[in-house]
Amino acid sequence: MRLRRGTVIIVAVGVLLAGCGGSDDSMTASLQGQNGSGASGEVTLTSVDAERTRVLIELQGGPTGPKPAHIHERACSDIDPVPANNLENVV
């Protein structure tokens, strides 16, 4: 399965996808803080099979406690404000 490079990950504490890299089966992107959140980190998307993708989010800084996470489709400049998929909280 090839991952779509246009998929954007947004974590509710205010981090934004900054850059992508990876192979056809996985991609990694840096997350940068938004709106003064102080959060940063990295997200890795890995193809599990034709129907599933593993999403690993690692965050540093920002507020303590669980952080909601979800996936928005399309590029940041044309982002759909309604999440396409909700993920488990980042803890």
Side-chain angles (χ1 to χ4, degrees):
M1 176 180 141
R2 294 189 118 187
L3 296 173
R4 292 185 295 166
R5 299 274 185 219
T7 300
V8 177
I9 303 297
I10 303 291
V11 178
V13 294
V15 292
L16 181 63
L17 207 58
C20 300
S23 69
D24 284 346
D25 292 333
S26 72
M27 64 184 274
T28 301
S30 297
L31 299 170
Q32 295 181 343
Q34 298 290 297
N35 304 316
S37 70
S40 64
E42 185 173 271
V43 61
T44 302
L45 305 171
T46 305
S47 176
V48 174
D49 57 37
E51 299 294 321
R52 300 178 300 157
T53 300
R54 178 176 292 118
V55 179
L56 174 64
I57 301 170
E58 298 182 60
L59 294 176
Q60 298 85 37
T64 59
K67 295 154 186 69
H70 45 270
I71 297 174
H72 290 268
E73 292 189 356
R74 301 196 310 246
C76 293
S77 60
D78 184 36
I79 195 166
D80 182 346
V82 178
N85 299 91
N86 289 314
L87 304 172
E88 292 180 19
N89 287 349
V90 178
V91 291

Coordinates of all heavy atoms in Angstrom, one line a residue:
M1 N 0.8 -1.2 0.0 CA 0.0 0.0 0.0 C 0.9 1.2 0.0 O 1.8 1.3 0.8 CB -0.9 0.0 1.2 CG -1.7 1.2 1.4 SD -2.7 1.1 2.9 CE -2.6 2.8 3.4
R2 N 0.6 2.2 -0.8 CA 1.3 3.5 -0.8 C 0.6 4.5 0.0 O -0.6 4.6 -0.1 CB 1.5 4.0 -2.2 CG 2.3 3.1 -3.1 CD 2.6 3.7 -4.4 NE 4.0 3.9 -4.4 CZ 4.7 4.5 -5.3 NH1 4.1 5.1 -6.2 NH2 6.0 4.6 -5.2
L3 N 1.3 5.2 0.9 CA 0.7 6.2 1.7 C 0.5 7.5 0.9 O 1.4 7.8 0.1 CB 1.6 6.5 2.9 CG 1.7 5.3 3.9 CD1 2.7 5.6 5.0 CD2 0.4 4.9 4.5
R4 N -0.6 8.1 1.1 CA -0.8 9.4 0.4 C 0.0 10.5 1.1 O -0.1 10.7 2.3 CB -2.3 9.8 0.4 CG -3.1 8.8 -0.4 CD -4.5 9.2 -0.5 NE -5.1 9.1 0.8 CZ -6.3 9.7 1.1 NH1 -7.0 10.3 0.2 NH2 -6.7 9.6 2.3
R5 N 0.8 11.2 0.3 CA 1.7 12.2 0.8 C 0.9 13.5 1.2 O 1.3 14.3 1.9 CB 2.8 12.6 -0.2 CG 3.7 11.5 -0.5 CD 4.8 11.4 0.5 NE 5.7 10.4 0.0 CZ 6.3 9.5 0.8 NH1 6.1 9.6 2.1 NH2 7.1 8.6 0.4
G6 N -0.4 13.6 0.8 CA -1.2 14.8 1.1 C -1.9 14.7 2.4 O -2.5 15.7 2.8
T7 N -1.8 13.6 3.1 CA -2.4 13.5 4.4 C -1.7 14.3 5.4 O -0.5 14.3 5.5 CB -2.5 12.0 4.8 OG1 -3.2 11.2 3.9 CG2 -3.1 11.8 6.2
V8 N -2.4 15.0 6.2 CA -1.8 15.9 7.2 C -2.3 15.4 8.6 O -3.4 15.1 8.8 CB -2.3 17.4 7.0 CG1 -1.8 18.3 8.1 CG2 -1.9 17.8 5.6
I9 N -1.3 15.4 9.5 CA -1.6 15.0 10.9 C -1.7 16.3 11.7 O -0.7 17.1 11.7 CB -0.5 14.1 11.5 CG1 -0.4 12.8 10.6 CG2 -0.8 13.7 12.9 CD1 -1.6 12.0 10.6
I10 N -2.7 16.5 12.5 CA -2.8 17.6 13.4 C -3.1 17.1 14.8 O -4.0 16.3 15.0 CB -3.9 18.6 13.0 CG1 -3.8 19.1 11.6 CG2 -4.1 19.7 14.0 CD1 -2.6 20.0 11.4
V11 N -2.3 17.5 15.8 CA -2.6 17.1 17.1 C -3.2 18.4 17.8 O -2.7 19.5 17.7 CB -1.2 16.7 17.8 CG1 -1.5 16.4 19.3 CG2 -0.6 15.5 17.1
A12 N -4.2 18.1 18.6 CA -5.1 19.2 19.1 C -4.3 20.2 19.9 O -4.7 21.4 20.0 CB -6.3 18.7 19.8
V13 N -3.2 19.9 20.5 CA -2.4 20.8 21.3 C -1.8 21.9 20.5 O -1.2 22.8 21.0 CB -1.4 20.2 22.2 CG1 -2.0 19.3 23.3 CG2 -0.4 19.4 21.4
G14 N -1.8 21.7 19.2 CA -1.3 22.8 18.3 C 0.0 22.5 17.7 O 0.9 23.3 17.8
V15 N 0.2 21.3 17.1 CA 1.4 21.0 16.4 C 1.0 20.8 14.9 O -0.1 20.4 14.6 CB 2.2 19.8 16.9 CG1 2.7 20.1 18.3 CG2 1.3 18.6 17.0
L16 N 2.0 21.1 14.0 CA 1.7 21.0 12.6 C 2.8 20.2 11.9 O 4.0 20.4 12.2 CB 1.6 22.5 12.1 CG 1.3 22.7 10.6 CD1 -0.1 22.1 10.3 CD2 1.4 24.1 10.3
L17 N 2.4 19.5 10.9 CA 3.3 18.7 10.1 C 4.2 19.6 9.4 O 3.8 20.6 8.7 CB 2.4 17.9 9.0 CG 3.0 16.7 8.5 CD1 3.3 15.7 9.5 CD2 1.9 16.1 7.5
A18 N 5.6 19.4 9.5 CA 6.5 20.3 8.9 C 7.3 19.7 7.7 O 7.6 20.5 6.8 CB 7.5 20.7 10.0
G19 N 7.6 18.5 7.7 CA 8.3 17.9 6.6 C 8.2 16.4 6.6 O 8.0 15.8 7.6
C20 N 8.3 15.8 5.4 CA 8.0 14.4 5.2 C 9.2 13.7 4.7 O 10.0 14.2 3.9 CB 6.8 14.1 4.3 SG 5.3 14.9 4.9
G21 N 9.3 12.4 5.0 CA 10.3 11.5 4.4 C 9.9 10.1 4.6 O 9.1 9.9 5.5
G22 N 10.5 9.2 3.9 CA 10.2 7.8 4.2 C 10.2 7.0 2.9 O 10.6 7.5 1.8
S23 N 9.7 5.8 3.0 CA 9.6 4.9 1.9 C 8.2 4.7 1.4 O 7.3 5.4 1.9 CB 10.2 3.5 2.3 OG 9.3 2.9 3.2
D24 N 7.9 3.8 0.5 CA 6.6 3.6 0.0 C 5.7 3.0 1.1 O 4.5 3.1 1.1 CB 6.5 2.6 -1.2 CG 7.0 3.3 -2.4 OD1 7.0 4.6 -2.4 OD2 7.3 2.6 -3.4
D25 N 6.3 2.3 2.1 CA 5.5 1.7 3.2 C 5.5 2.5 4.5 O 4.7 2.1 5.4 CB 6.1 0.3 3.5 CG 5.8 -0.7 2.3 OD1 4.9 -0.5 1.6 OD2 6.7 -1.6 2.2
S26 N 6.3 3.5 4.6 CA 6.2 4.4 5.7 C 6.7 5.8 5.4 O 7.3 6.0 4.4 CB 7.1 3.8 6.9 OG 8.5 4.0 6.6
M27 N 6.3 6.7 6.2 CA 6.7 8.1 6.1 C 6.8 8.7 7.5 O 6.1 8.3 8.4 CB 5.9 8.9 5.1 CG 4.4 9.1 5.6 SD 3.4 10.0 4.4 CE 3.8 11.7 4.8
T28 N 7.8 9.6 7.6 CA 8.0 10.3 8.9 C 7.9 11.8 8.6 O 8.4 12.2 7.6 CB 9.3 9.9 9.5 OG1 9.3 8.5 9.7 CG2 9.6 10.6 10.8
A29 N 7.4 12.5 9.6 CA 7.3 14.0 9.4 C 7.5 14.6 10.8 O 7.2 14.1 11.8 CB 5.9 14.4 8.9
S30 N 8.1 15.8 10.7 CA 8.4 16.6 12.0 C 7.1 17.3 12.3 O 6.3 17.7 11.4 CB 9.5 17.6 11.7 OG 10.7 16.9 11.5
L31 N 6.8 17.5 13.6 CA 5.7 18.3 14.1 C 6.2 19.5 14.7 O 7.1 19.4 15.6 CB 4.9 17.4 15.1 CG 4.2 16.2 14.5 CD1 3.7 15.3 15.6 CD2 3.2 16.5 13.5
Q32 N 5.7 20.6 14.4 CA 6.2 21.9 15.0 C 5.0 22.5 15.8 O 3.9 22.5 15.3 CB 6.7 22.9 13.9 CG 7.9 22.4 13.2 CD 8.4 23.4 12.2 OE1 7.7 24.2 11.8 NE2 9.6 23.2 11.8
G33 N 5.3 23.2 16.9 CA 4.3 23.8 17.7 C 3.6 24.9 17.0 O 4.1 25.6 16.1
Q34 N 2.3 25.1 17.3 CA 1.5 26.1 16.7 C 0.8 26.9 17.8 O 0.6 26.4 18.9 CB 0.4 25.5 15.8 CG 0.9 24.7 14.6 CD 1.5 25.7 13.6 OE1 0.8 26.5 13.0 NE2 2.8 25.6 13.4
N35 N 0.6 28.2 17.6 CA -0.2 29.0 18.6 C 0.5 29.0 20.0 O -0.2 29.0 21.0 CB -1.6 28.5 18.7 CG -2.3 28.6 17.4 OD1 -2.2 29.5 16.6 ND2 -3.1 27.5 17.1
G36 N 1.8 29.0 20.0 CA 2.6 29.1 21.3 C 2.4 27.9 22.1 O 2.7 28.0 23.3
S37 N 2.1 26.7 21.6 CA 1.9 25.5 22.4 C 3.1 25.0 23.1 O 3.1 24.4 24.1 CB 1.3 24.4 21.6 OG 2.2 23.9 20.6
G38 N 4.3 25.2 22.4 CA 5.6 24.7 23.0 C 5.8 23.2 22.7 O 6.7 22.6 23.1
A39 N 4.8 22.6 21.9 CA 4.9 21.2 21.6 C 5.7 21.0 20.3 O 5.6 21.9 19.4 CB 3.5 20.6 21.5
S40 N 6.4 19.9 20.2 CA 7.0 19.5 18.9 C 7.2 18.0 18.9 O 6.9 17.4 19.9 CB 8.4 20.2 18.8 OG 9.3 19.7 19.8
G41 N 7.6 17.4 17.8 CA 7.7 16.0 17.8 C 7.8 15.4 16.4 O 8.3 16.1 15.5
E42 N 7.4 14.2 16.3 CA 7.6 13.4 15.1 C 6.4 12.5 14.9 O 5.9 12.0 15.9 CB 8.9 12.7 15.1 CG 9.2 12.0 13.8 CD 10.6 11.4 13.9 OE1 11.6 12.1 13.5 OE2 10.7 10.2 14.3
V43 N 5.9 12.3 13.7 CA 4.9 11.3 13.5 C 5.4 10.4 12.4 O 6.0 10.8 11.4 CB 3.5 12.0 13.0 CG1 3.7 12.8 11.8 CG2 2.4 10.9 12.9
T44 N 5.1 9.1 12.6 CA 5.5 8.1 11.6 C 4.3 7.3 11.2 O 3.6 6.8 12.1 CB 6.6 7.1 12.2 OG1 7.7 7.8 12.6 CG2 7.0 6.1 11.1
L45 N 4.0 7.2 9.9 CA 2.9 6.4 9.4 C 3.5 5.2 8.7 O 4.4 5.3 7.8 CB 2.1 7.3 8.3 CG 1.6 8.6 8.8 CD1 1.0 9.4 7.6 CD2 0.5 8.4 9.9
T46 N 3.0 4.0 9.1 CA 3.5 2.8 8.5 C 2.4 1.9 8.0 O 1.4 1.7 8.8 CB 4.3 2.0 9.6 OG1 5.3 2.8 10.1 CG2 4.9 0.8 9.0
S47 N 2.4 1.5 6.8 CA 1.4 0.6 6.2 C 1.5 -0.7 6.9 O 2.5 -1.4 7.0 CB 1.7 0.4 4.7 OG 0.8 -0.5 4.2
V48 N 0.3 -1.2 7.5 CA 0.2 -2.5 8.1 C -0.3 -3.5 7.1 O 0.2 -4.6 7.0 CB -0.8 -2.4 9.3 CG1 -1.0 -3.8 9.9 CG2 -0.3 -1.4 10.4
D49 N -1.3 -3.1 6.3 CA -1.8 -3.9 5.2 C -2.6 -3.0 4.3 O -2.6 -1.8 4.5 CB -2.7 -5.1 5.8 CG -3.8 -4.7 6.6 OD1 -4.5 -3.7 6.4 OD2 -4.1 -5.5 7.6
A50 N -3.4 -3.6 3.4 CA -4.1 -2.8 2.4 C -5.2 -1.9 3.0 O -5.6 -0.9 2.4 CB -4.8 -3.7 1.4
E51 N -5.6 -2.2 4.3 CA -6.7 -1.4 4.9 C -6.3 -0.6 6.1 O -7.1 0.2 6.6 CB -7.8 -2.4 5.3 CG -8.5 -3.1 4.2 CD -9.2 -2.2 3.2 OE1 -9.9 -1.3 3.7 OE2 -9.1 -2.4 2.0
R52 N -5.1 -0.9 6.6 CA -4.7 -0.2 7.9 C -3.3 0.4 7.8 O -2.4 0.0 7.2 CB -4.7 -1.3 9.0 CG -6.0 -1.9 9.3 CD -6.0 -3.0 10.3 NE -5.0 -4.0 10.0 CZ -4.4 -4.8 10.8 NH1 -4.7 -4.7 12.1 NH2 -3.6 -5.8 10.4
T53 N -3.2 1.6 8.6 CA -2.0 2.3 8.7 C -1.7 2.5 10.2 O -2.6 3.0 10.9 CB -2.0 3.6 8.0 OG1 -2.3 3.4 6.6 CG2 -0.8 4.4 8.1
R54 N -0.5 2.2 10.6 CA -0.1 2.5 12.0 C 0.4 3.9 12.1 O 1.2 4.4 11.3 CB 1.0 1.5 12.5 CG 1.5 1.8 13.9 CD 2.5 0.8 14.3 NE 1.9 -0.5 14.5 CZ 2.2 -1.6 13.8 NH1 3.2 -1.5 12.9 NH2 1.6 -2.7 13.9
V55 N -0.1 4.7 13.1 CA 0.3 6.1 13.3 C 1.0 6.1 14.7 O 0.4 5.8 15.7 CB -0.9 7.0 13.3 CG1 -0.5 8.5 13.5 CG2 -1.7 6.9 12.0
L56 N 2.3 6.5 14.7 CA 3.0 6.7 15.9 C 3.4 8.1 16.0 O 4.0 8.7 15.2 CB 4.3 5.8 15.9 CG 5.3 6.0 17.0 CD1 4.6 5.5 18.3 CD2 6.6 5.3 16.8
I57 N 2.9 8.8 17.1 CA 3.1 10.2 17.4 C 4.0 10.3 18.6 O 3.6 9.7 19.7 CB 1.8 10.9 17.6 CG1 0.9 10.8 16.4 CG2 2.1 12.4 17.9 CD1 -0.5 11.3 16.6
E58 N 5.1 11.0 18.5 CA 6.0 11.2 19.7 C 6.1 12.7 19.8 O 6.5 13.5 18.9 CB 7.4 10.6 19.4 CG 7.3 9.1 19.3 CD 8.7 8.5 19.1 OE1 9.5 8.7 20.0 OE2 8.9 7.9 18.0
L59 N 5.7 13.2 21.0 CA 5.7 14.7 21.3 C 6.6 15.0 22.5 O 6.8 14.2 23.4 CB 4.2 15.1 21.7 CG 3.2 15.0 20.6 CD1 1.8 15.4 21.2 CD2 3.6 15.9 19.4
Q60 N 7.2 16.2 22.4 CA 7.9 16.8 23.5 C 7.4 18.2 23.8 O 6.9 18.8 22.9 CB 9.4 16.9 23.1 CG 10.1 15.6 22.8 CD 9.9 15.1 21.4 OE1 9.9 15.9 20.5 NE2 9.8 13.9 21.2
G61 N 7.5 18.6 25.0 CA 7.0 19.9 25.4 C 5.5 20.1 25.4 O 4.8 19.1 25.2
G62 N 5.1 21.3 25.5 CA 3.6 21.6 25.5 C 3.0 21.2 26.8 O 3.6 20.8 27.8
P63 N 1.7 21.3 26.9 CA 0.9 21.0 28.1 C 1.1 19.6 28.5 O 1.2 18.7 27.7 CB -0.5 21.3 27.7 CG -0.5 22.1 26.5 CD 0.8 21.8 25.8
T64 N 1.0 19.3 29.8 CA 1.0 17.9 30.3 C -0.3 17.2 30.1 O -1.3 17.9 30.0 CB 1.5 17.8 31.7 OG1 0.6 18.6 32.5 CG2 2.9 18.4 31.9
G65 N -0.3 15.9 30.2 CA -1.6 15.2 30.1 C -1.9 14.7 28.7 O -1.2 15.0 27.8
P66 N -2.9 13.9 28.6 CA -3.3 13.3 27.3 C -3.6 14.5 26.3 O -4.2 15.5 26.6 CB -4.5 12.5 27.6 CG -4.5 12.2 29.0 CD -3.8 13.4 29.6
K67 N -3.2 14.2 25.0 CA -3.5 15.2 24.0 C -4.3 14.5 22.8 O -3.8 13.5 22.3 CB -2.1 15.7 23.4 CG -1.4 16.5 24.5 CD 0.1 16.5 24.2 CE 0.9 17.1 25.3 NZ 0.9 16.3 26.5
P68 N -5.4 15.0 22.5 CA -6.2 14.4 21.4 C -5.5 14.5 20.1 O -4.7 15.4 19.9 CB -7.5 15.3 21.4 CG -7.5 16.1 22.7 CD -6.1 16.2 23.1
A69 N -5.7 13.5 19.3 CA -5.0 13.5 18.0 C -6.0 13.0 16.9 O -6.9 12.2 17.2 CB -3.8 12.5 18.0
H70 N -5.9 13.5 15.7 CA -6.7 13.1 14.6 C -6.1 13.5 13.3 O -5.0 14.1 13.3 CB -8.1 13.9 14.7 CG -8.0 15.3 15.0 ND1 -8.0 15.8 16.3 CD2 -7.9 16.4 14.2 CE1 -7.9 17.1 16.3 NE2 -7.8 17.5 15.0
I71 N -6.6 12.9 12.2 CA -6.1 13.1 10.9 C -7.0 14.0 10.1 O -8.2 13.8 10.0 CB -5.9 11.8 10.2 CG1 -4.9 10.9 10.9 CG2 -5.4 12.0 8.7 CD1 -4.7 9.5 10.4
H72 N -6.4 15.0 9.4 CA -7.1 15.8 8.5 C -6.6 15.5 7.1 O -5.4 15.3 6.9 CB -6.9 17.3 8.7 CG -7.5 17.9 9.9 ND1 -8.7 18.4 9.9 CD2 -7.0 17.9 11.2 CE1 -9.0 18.8 11.2 NE2 -8.0 18.5 12.0
E73 N -7.5 15.4 6.1 CA -7.0 15.2 4.7 C -6.7 16.5 4.0 O -7.3 17.5 4.4 CB -8.1 14.4 4.0 CG -8.1 13.0 4.5 CD -9.0 12.0 3.7 OE1 -9.6 12.5 2.7 OE2 -9.1 10.9 4.0
R74 N -5.9 16.5 3.0 CA -5.5 17.6 2.2 C -4.3 18.3 2.8 O -4.0 18.1 4.0 CB -6.6 18.5 1.8 CG -7.8 17.8 1.1 CD -8.7 18.7 0.4 NE -9.3 19.8 1.2 CZ -10.5 19.9 1.5 NH1 -11.4 19.0 1.2 NH2 -10.9 21.0 2.2
A75 N -3.7 19.2 2.0 CA -2.5 20.0 2.4 C -3.0 21.0 3.4 O -4.2 21.5 3.4 CB -1.9 20.6 1.2
C76 N -2.0 21.5 4.2 CA -2.4 22.6 5.2 C -3.0 23.8 4.6 O -3.9 24.4 5.2 CB -1.1 23.0 5.9 SG -0.4 21.7 7.0
S77 N -2.6 24.2 3.4 CA -3.1 25.4 2.7 C -4.6 25.2 2.3 O -5.2 26.2 2.0 CB -2.2 25.7 1.5 OG -2.2 24.7 0.6
D78 N -5.0 23.9 2.2 CA -6.4 23.6 1.8 C -7.0 22.6 2.7 O -7.8 21.7 2.2 CB -6.3 23.1 0.3 CG -7.7 22.9 -0.3 OD1 -8.7 23.7 0.1 OD2 -7.9 21.9 -1.0
I79 N -6.7 22.7 4.0 CA -7.1 21.6 4.9 C -8.6 21.6 5.1 O -9.3 22.6 5.2 CB -6.4 21.8 6.3 CG1 -6.5 20.5 7.1 CG2 -6.9 23.0 7.0 CD1 -5.6 20.4 8.2
D80 N -9.2 20.4 5.2 CA -10.6 20.2 5.6 C -10.6 20.3 7.1 O -10.0 19.6 7.8 CB -11.0 18.8 5.1 CG -12.5 18.5 5.4 OD1 -13.1 19.3 6.2 OD2 -13.0 17.6 4.9
P81 N -11.4 21.3 7.6 CA -11.4 21.5 9.1 C -12.0 20.3 9.9 O -11.8 20.2 11.1 CB -12.2 22.8 9.3 CG -13.0 22.9 8.1 CD -12.2 22.2 7.0
V82 N -12.7 19.4 9.2 CA -13.4 18.3 9.9 C -12.4 17.1 9.8 O -12.0 16.7 8.7 CB -14.7 17.9 9.2 CG1 -15.3 16.7 9.9 CG2 -15.7 19.1 9.3
P83 N -12.0 16.6 10.9 CA -11.1 15.4 10.9 C -11.6 14.2 10.1 O -12.8 13.9 10.3 CB -10.9 15.1 12.4 CG -11.2 16.3 13.1 CD -12.3 17.0 12.3
A84 N -10.8 13.6 9.3 CA -11.2 12.4 8.6 C -11.2 11.2 9.5 O -12.0 10.2 9.3 CB -10.3 12.2 7.4
N85 N -10.2 11.1 10.4 CA -10.1 10.0 11.4 C -9.7 10.5 12.7 O -8.8 11.3 12.8 CB -9.0 9.0 10.9 CG -9.4 8.4 9.5 OD1 -9.0 9.0 8.5 ND2 -10.1 7.3 9.5
N86 N -10.3 10.0 13.8 CA -9.9 10.3 15.1 C -8.9 9.2 15.6 O -9.1 8.0 15.2 CB -11.0 10.4 16.1 CG -11.9 11.6 15.8 OD1 -11.3 12.7 15.7 ND2 -13.2 11.4 15.8
L87 N -7.9 9.6 16.3 CA -6.9 8.6 16.8 C -7.0 8.6 18.3 O -7.6 9.4 19.0 CB -5.5 9.1 16.4 CG -5.2 9.3 14.9 CD1 -3.9 9.9 14.7 CD2 -5.4 8.0 14.2
E88 N -6.3 7.6 19.0 CA -6.2 7.5 20.4 C -5.4 8.8 20.9 O -4.6 9.3 20.2 CB -5.5 6.3 20.9 CG -6.3 5.0 20.6 CD -5.6 3.8 21.0 OE1 -4.7 3.8 21.9 OE2 -6.0 2.7 20.5
N89 N -5.7 9.2 22.1 CA -5.0 10.3 22.7 C -3.5 10.0 22.8 O -3.1 8.9 23.0 CB -5.5 10.6 24.1 CG -6.8 11.3 24.1 OD1 -7.3 11.7 23.1 ND2 -7.4 11.4 25.3
V90 N -2.7 11.0 22.6 CA -1.2 10.9 22.8 C -1.0 11.1 24.3 O -1.4 12.1 24.9 CB -0.5 12.0 22.0 CG1 1.0 11.9 22.2 CG2 -0.8 11.8 20.5
V91 N -0.4 10.1 24.9 CA -0.1 10.2 26.4 C 1.4 10.1 26.7 O 2.2 9.6 25.9 CB -0.8 9.1 27.2 CG1 -2.3 9.4 27.2 CG2 -0.5 7.7 26.7

